[in-house]
Amino acid sequence: MDDPYKILGVARSASADDVRRAYRKLAKTHHPDLNPGNAKAEDVFKAVSAANDLLSDPGKRARFDRGEIDAAGQPSAPQGSYHDHADGEAGRRYSRESEHFGGWSDEGFADMFGSVFRGARNRGAEARARGGDEHYSLETDFLSAVNGATRRLTLPDGRALNAKIPPGTLDGQVLRLRGQGGEGWNGGPAGDALIEIRVTPHAFFSRVGQNIRLDLPITVAEAVLGGFVETPTPGGPVRVRVPPHSDTGSELRLRGRGVPKHGSQPAGDLLATLRVRLGPPDPALDAFMKSWTRETPFNPRSAMETLP
């Protein structure tokens, strides 16, 4: 595999945030779901994912920078030579007086090859290595993130994973599917699949912490006289009482109708902001307003009259 820094287009001094941003940009461009049937895009996506897997792991990145592992995460081949020993303690390099091994002393020979053998044993201990974590992105709708759902994710290699999205999942939250990442080496355990959830906006709902906000349109009659209106919530529609003489901007709180309870988080509320809507032109309403006079004078802009 090529240099992971070059694949992601970042410098070796790049921060973790720089690496993450570069990966997200490239992954969105070359994701197989956005390029069906494009083998080249799939190859690029695989290379980008592998590069991100290495550079996003501080331990792996440090080992790669030191030359201990290659770009695929495997132990690098030994670079042993007599130069590794030529700067050693006097008398432990090579000796002119010795007639053993063409001028090499027994001690120097043992030092050199002993280190090679020890390195081989150490690499053998590292050979059974855990597979790398693999990073993916999964888009889901607003209500599935709020209420929880199971979504199927197709991987570049053709495998399909069922990702269980817990209730209350936030945009950008990462799910870990243990054992679903890269294969282990030499019998080692598989890595994990890390799935970043991207939540698409909703047409009417927005989220603030555990609460859900909603603009609730009402008619002039409902604003003046009050009454029950059907109101959507993440868990389904409910009937809500609008108090008489409700102005635009008045807020109704529906307790427990926001993000459902999950883990240690209590259920949130639905905050419905009333918005009075006149609707299409109505001659009867026009005629009534022309003939209607308030018994109590009212100026909705009286507070503005004191402004300079």
Side-chain angles (χ1 to χ4, degrees), residues 27-179:
K28 289 179 180 178
T29 301
H30 300 286
H31 196 286
D33 289 348
L34 301 178
N35 300 274
N38 189 334
K40 183 177 180 180
E42 182 174 338
D43 290 340
V44 173
F45 180 76
K46 289 180 179 179
V48 167
S49 297
N52 180 67
D53 173 56
L54 190 147
L55 296 184
S56 63
D57 186 314
K60 289 182 181 178
R61 181 175 177 178
R63 293 184 67 197
F64 174 78
D65 290 344
R66 293 194 298 268
E68 296 175 5
I69 59 175
D70 60 21
Q74 304 303 329
S76 298
Q79 302 297 324
S81 73
Y82 80 93
H83 294 290
D84 296 335
H85 306 272
D87 294 328
E89 180 182 344
R92 297 178 62 85
R93 293 180 286 173
Y94 44 84
S95 169
R96 292 181 180 178
E97 291 79 16
S98 174
E99 297 180 356
H100 299 286
F101 306 104
W104 288 83
S105 68
D106 294 342
E107 190 175 9
F109 185 90
D111 279 351
M112 175 180 176
F113 287 94
S115 66
V116 173
F117 295 146
R118 285 193 297 273
R121 286 196 298 271
N122 291 338
R123 287 190 297 278
E126 293 175 355
R128 186 179 180 275
R130 176 182 180 276
D133 292 340
E134 297 179 347
H135 298 256
Y136 304 101
S137 179
L138 176 62
E139 188 175 275
T140 190
D141 62 276
F142 181 90
L143 290 179
S144 293
V146 168
N147 294 320
T150 299
R151 291 286 179 267
R152 181 172 288 264
L153 175 65
T154 302
L155 306 185
D157 61 5
R159 289 186 299 145
L161 298 179
N162 288 324
K164 187 175 181 180
I165 302 174
T169 296
L170 294 166
D171 180 57
Q173 189 168 332
V174 176
L175 306 182
R176 181 182 292 272
L177 274 61
R178 299 194 180 279

Side-chain angles (χ1 to χ4, degrees), residues 170-210:
L170 294 166
D171 180 57
Q173 189 168 332
V174 176
L175 306 182
R176 181 182 292 272
L177 274 61
R178 299 194 180 279
Q180 298 298 327
E183 292 185 4
W185 192 52
N186 199 25
D192 300 337
L194 304 178
I195 304 175
E196 182 179 7
I197 303 299
R198 308 306 304 176
V199 181
T200 57
H202 194 274
F204 308 115
F205 296 125
S206 63
R207 180 174 176 179
V208 181
Q210 288 292 97

